[in-house]
Amino acid sequence: MFGRLRTRRRHGPDEAVPDGAPASAVAIQTDALLRRLEWTVVRRLDGLLQGDYRTLFRGFGLDLADLREYHPGDDVRHIDWNVTARLQTPHVREYQEDRDISVWFLLDLSGSIDFGSGSVRKRDLLSDFTTVMALLLTRYGNRVGAVLYGGATDAAASVVPARSGRRQLLHLLHRMQATPAASPGDTRLRDLLERARAVAKRRSVMFVVSDFISAPGWQTSLGMLARRHEVVAVRLVDPLETALPDLGLVVLQDAETGEQMFVDTHDPAFRKRFAAAAEAREAELRLGFARAGVECLTLSTYARLDLALLHFARERRRRQGAPREANVAGSAKGTA
């Protein structure tokens, strides 16, 4: 995706750490990000959305704990007829409910994620979303993990195994902040999705956080991932990717390959072709998500994160028919 060529702004406390930065600098950045989001977003979500057990995402199924002989009053639906036939005595199954869930963040850290036409880049948005969701999840014992994809040169995306606790949260954020900017090359989002399929053995909730600017073929992998897991596509967008303003003669640079192009944005025909291409891509993405059976949460670099999460949560509950006072994103055990 082409972005306007401009000088990089100085690194602030929430921006990616330069390559080769000491571990202490990454730790300071991670701690600052955590404190900022706890006060600006997480507390606001907790104040607006209540409810400890009515949630958007729930634990998956029941685990078989034991078999025992049937006693009067037991639920006949729990009778194991195969065991009963072999032993000639009625036996029932005892189950242990799995309230906790495993949540994976599939993070696309390719070159186009570093783009932003304003003060917020898509990478900043990715970092904020992951931090907020991981904070809400780990409070109640849910396990969080991540698969980090750094672009075309990172075919074997690095993995942070799913675990619970605040230490796991800090480790995940540290790895995310320490991941350097991607080398030039086309993004193959399919590699990220296939890697996630290989590492996630149990049924999980998966957030695919990306701008979905990628080589073709990822739609099939996304659909296969959604067959086993509950998948939410978190799409990062910037307004400049859908419509070009009249800026005159500018140099655009492809964030993926580094290719540069000199264009005249004063030409109405060029802006019209650009908008038509962006609209066609939007339609293709919507079709891809629909075919894969995946919900899409769109986050804009010019919009507030907390309001976007609230809107998504309310729309999801409306489709599910769940109570409106349920807690977003897992402010309770067994939530996401």
Side-chain angles (χ1 to χ4, degrees), residues 81-247:
W81 295 106
N82 292 329
V83 175
T84 298
R86 288 198 301 269
L87 300 180
Q88 299 298 310
T89 303
H91 278 70
V92 295
R93 294 185 176 187
E94 290 186 332
Y95 294 94
Q96 180 179 0
E97 184 177 0
D98 184 10
R99 295 185 64 88
D100 299 337
I101 59 174
S102 294
V103 178
W104 288 86
F105 296 95
L106 313 186
L107 304 180
D108 173 13
L109 300 174
S110 59
S112 59
I113 295 298
D114 280 327
F115 174 72
S117 59
S119 60
V120 177
R121 300 172 302 162
K122 288 187 285 186
R123 179 159 181 150
D124 301 328
L125 199 56
L126 176 147
S127 178
D128 288 357
F129 170 81
T130 304
T131 303
V132 168
M133 297 301 296
L135 266 171
L136 293 172
L137 285 160
T138 53
R139 286 183 176 183
Y140 298 93
N142 296 295
R143 297 169 295 276
V144 295
V147 182
L148 297 90
Y149 173 74
T153 59
D154 188 17
S158 59
V159 176
V160 179
R163 297 188 178 92
S164 60
R166 186 174 179 84
R167 180 174 296 181
Q168 168 70 359
L169 167 65
L170 294 173
H171 175 61
L172 188 154
L173 299 182
H174 181 276
R175 289 281 298 274
M176 179 177 63
Q177 297 292 340
T179 302
S183 302
D186 290 331
T187 299
R188 295 191 295 267
L189 197 57
R190 179 179 179 179
D191 294 342
L192 171 62
L193 301 174
E194 292 298 328
R195 179 65 168 159
R197 287 182 59 203
V199 300
K201 302 301 182 182
R202 60 180 295 176
R203 180 167 167 80
S204 308
V205 174
M206 292 197 170
F207 293 101
V208 184
V209 190
S210 172
D211 56 8
F212 294 90
I213 299 175
S214 169
W218 59 266
Q219 296 89 341
T220 301
S221 297
L222 183 66
M224 295 180 68
L225 191 68
R227 291 180 184 178
R228 177 171 176 79
H229 306 281
E230 186 166 1
V231 180
V232 177
V234 183
R235 186 181 170 215
L236 311 175
V237 300
D238 187 276
L240 202 58
E241 295 173 333
T242 57
L244 281 178
D246 185 356
L247 300 174

Side-chain angles (χ1 to χ4, degrees), residues 211 235 237-238 241-242 275-289 298:
D211 56 8
R235 186 181 170 215
V237 300
D238 187 276
E241 295 173 333
T242 57
E279 185 177 350
R281 180 174 177 270
E282 288 285 330
E284 181 182 1
L285 284 175
R286 287 194 296 268
L287 181 60
F289 293 143
T298 300

